[in-house]
Amino acid sequence: MDLNEDGKLDILSGCYSETNFEKMSLKHMAGLFFVLWGKGQGQFSPPEALKGADNKLLIINPGSGATHVDRSSCTRPTAIDWNGDGKIDIVSGNLEGSFTVFLGEGKGLFNPKNTWIRSGDEILKLKQRHSDPTFADIDGDGDLDLLSGSGSGGIFWAENKTPDPKVNRFKLSKFKTLVPPHTKRLTFDSYESAKPSYSSRIWVDDINADGKLDILLGDKAIFEWPKKGIDQKAYEKWRADHEKLLKRNFELFHEIQKLTEEELAHPDEGRPKELAEVRNRLGINHDQKEQFIYTEEAGHVWIYYGK
């Protein structure tokens, strides 16, 4: 997409958080947006953090009743003319699974105040985390629909039901599931290995040039299988401990968002201390994994041909 209208294609990207994970304030963590400005002939500038029209870093404001970690981190941007004014806007996903818009002001500048995409009166969001928007007229009715993958996998579709896209470009319904999210661990000899896995990222195009839109899906698959001769009870205890620690880590991470600055100033007390202890135990637990199972990671690209 040509963000700054100079006739050269640019590359737009998000990120998990603006600062090093170990040093950042968990209460205020937020992802940035990066652009590699096109120079022509396949050449691009080094990545540059995108700024708003106020010359400050473009950061998602989570709004009331939400946390920075949920709504401001894991930015997943796409460029589109959201409001039909002829200027490129940014629509971004996030950790929570919701979607927000920064309206463009032309020449690569964007209004620093984001607004949340809604379905009716409610903020539009996935049931899963990690939204990643892309737009296409998937139902062939002449307007653009919103599609997304998720951290749990799958493909999700928010149909655009606007009566007149020239007057109001988007009136989005709640998400429907086109491909269900992944729910099971994979082994190389299992049937499940022939299905898309976690962290789905999608793109829509007519891949086979038959006049019908197809969906490309990229994923991350983690395969695991027990080692021979292991103590099954010991393995099951390790797995149960692992899941319990992961759950508590997730809970504490979000509890910390509600702490005051004074509470955060004392990391050796209360919930910050417990979070550090849980993460230490998670590290020990993770190291024990090699006693019980083999693991391999792989990424696949899947295609769903349009009918």
Side-chain angles (χ1 to χ4, degrees):
M1 183 65 72
D2 182 6
L3 287 179
N4 57 357
E5 304 171 26
D6 65 353
K8 301 170 185 176
L9 292 178
D10 310 304
I11 298 175
L12 178 64
S13 176
C15 75
Y16 184 80
S17 178
E18 61 176 310
T19 51
N20 182 277
F21 184 78
E22 296 300 328
K23 296 181 180 180
M24 67 187 169
S25 167
L26 294 178
K27 192 175 178 66
H28 298 111
M29 62 181 289
L32 300 180
F33 300 93
F34 289 90
V35 61
L36 286 72
W37 299 112
K39 296 183 176 181
Q41 298 182 336
Q43 301 296 310
F44 295 90
S45 70
E48 176 182 321
L50 198 58
K51 295 182 178 180
D54 59 357
N55 203 36
K56 296 180 181 179
L57 292 173
L58 203 62
I59 294 178
I60 297 173
N61 184 334
S64 61
T67 65
H68 277 269
V69 64
D70 275 338
R71 288 193 178 169
S72 303
S73 63
C74 294
T75 51
R76 304 274 185 177
T78 191
I80 184 176
D81 182 5
W82 171 259
N83 58 357
D85 66 353
K87 300 174 183 176
I88 295 298
D89 311 307
I90 291 176
V91 175
S92 180
N94 57 18
L95 175 61
E96 179 187 56
S98 51
F99 303 83
T100 196
V101 181
F102 290 94
L103 293 178
E105 298 185 358
K107 303 296 182 181
L109 297 177
F110 297 89
N111 190 313
K113 295 183 179 180
N114 57 289
T115 57
W116 294 96
I117 295 177
R118 295 179 178 272
S119 177
D121 294 331
E122 298 179 359
I123 289 179
L124 179 67
K125 64 174 69 174
L126 302 169
K127 293 181 180 179
Q128 296 76 22
R129 298 173 78 78
H130 293 286
S131 46
D132 190 25
T134 190
F135 292 87
D137 184 11
I138 201 71
D139 54 1
D141 64 354
D143 54 40
L144 295 175
D145 307 303
L146 170 60
L147 296 99
S148 179
S150 83
S152 302
I155 300 174
F156 307 92
W157 168 44
E159 182 181 358
N160 190 357
K161 294 186 175 181
T162 181
D164 186 351
K166 293 182 180 180
V167 176
N168 183 10
R169 290 203 80 193
F170 292 95
K171 184 179 180 181
L172 296 172
S173 63
K174 293 184 178 180
F175 279 102
K176 299 177 182 178
T177 300
L178 298 183
V179 175
H182 176 81
T183 58
K184 297 181 180 179
R185 295 188 182 87
L186 302 180
T187 60
F188 278 112
D189 58 353
S190 73
Y191 172 73
E192 295 296 325
S193 63
K195 296 181 180 180
S197 188
Y198 304 100
S199 299
S200 56
R201 302 290 176 254
I202 65 172
W203 186 253
V204 181
D205 206 341
D206 182 6
I207 304 300
N208 57 353
D210 66 351
K212 301 171 185 176
L213 289 178
D214 312 304
I215 301 177
L216 285 170
L217 182 153
D219 72 1
K220 174 184 178 181
I222 302 175
F223 297 89
E224 64 176 47
W225 62 105
K227 293 184 175 180
K228 293 181 179 180
I230 65 169
D231 184 327
Q232 187 64 27
K233 288 185 177 180
Y235 167 69
E236 290 174 358
K237 182 181 184 304
W238 170 83
R239 173 61 67 188
D241 290 343
H242 183 71
E243 298 296 340
K244 184 178 179 180
L245 287 168
L246 283 176
K247 181 180 179 182
R248 187 56 184 151
N249 177 71
F250 180 83
E251 293 170 346
L252 284 167
F253 193 71
H254 285 79
E255 288 175 14
I256 282 177
Q257 311 309 310
K258 303 174 184 178
L259 298 182
T260 65
E261 295 294 343
E262 183 177 350
E263 289 174 307
L264 288 171
H266 301 281
D268 296 329
E269 300 176 6
R271 281 172 284 183
K273 179 181 179 181
E274 185 184 353
L275 178 61
E277 291 172 347
V278 167
R279 288 185 168 168
N280 182 58
R281 287 161 57 197
L282 261 176
I284 296 172
N285 178 275
H286 182 79
D287 291 341
Q288 292 172 341
K289 177 176 67 174
E290 295 183 359
Q291 300 176 26
F292 303 108
I293 59 175
Y294 297 102
T295 59
E296 294 287 347
E297 295 185 6
H300 307 94
V301 177
W302 307 80
I303 185 167
Y304 293 86
Y305 288 109
K307 297 181 179 180

